[in-house]
Amino acid sequence: MPIKFADIPKEATAILNDDYVVSGYLFKTKQKTSWAGAVFSSQVDLFPDDKCATPAKLTWKLPKPLGAPFTIDKLEMDKGGKFKLEASKDAVIPGLKVECKTDLADFNKVVIVDTYTGIKDAQCIFEFKATKPMDFVAEATYTKGIATCGLKFDAAVLKGGLPDVGARFASGPFFCALVATKGLSTFDLAASYKAT
């Protein structure tokens, strides 16, 4: 199954980035409810350095809010009192998922994400601001056997810029990924081996 471009090195990088907190202390919870499959998550910073009285982030996921034909993937309030809302609709046409992301404060920051998976083993994503469609990011990934390759670009490519490219290989316990970014001037290599 195809993945997002940002997830090309994730199998190796998530071992350190997701499992180990390098600053402060966190308490995380996640609870699936009996109300239409809704999920509630919370994250509390323990012993914060700042003077925040409620150092928590609260997140709700509502699969079919009140029977609506769309999903609220994220309704979040962070410790600063700022909100995020992400909603999506699958199968707008076969293989097309449309998402809408907003901070619920500024209409100019509304982002639309179109994800097309109608081609076998491929995924194409086009993300743009609703009020400025030329402010976009596009990516495509393709999986064949043990390999996945992808590219990602923005409007700069229309003016001669270079896309970011990446590839990953997974076979049994072995995993390796190489990603080239910033006009092919920065290279990141990630590898892992799952010992049994």
Side-chain angles (χ1 to χ4, degrees), residues 178-189:
L178 178 64
V179 178
T181 58
K182 299 178 184 169
L184 305 180
S185 66
T186 302
F187 296 88
D188 292 317
L189 176 66

Side-chain angles (χ1 to χ4, degrees), residues 10 12-21 26 28:
K10 187 174 183 177
T13 58
I15 294 169
L16 293 176
N17 296 347
D18 294 351
D19 294 339
Y20 298 98
V21 177
L26 296 176
K28 293 182 180 182

Side-chain angles (χ1 to χ4, degrees), residues 8 16 37 50 72 76 90 112 125 160 182 195:
I8 286 177
L16 293 176
D50 55 5
I72 294 179
E76 179 178 282
D90 281 326
I112 308 296
I125 299 175
K182 299 178 184 169

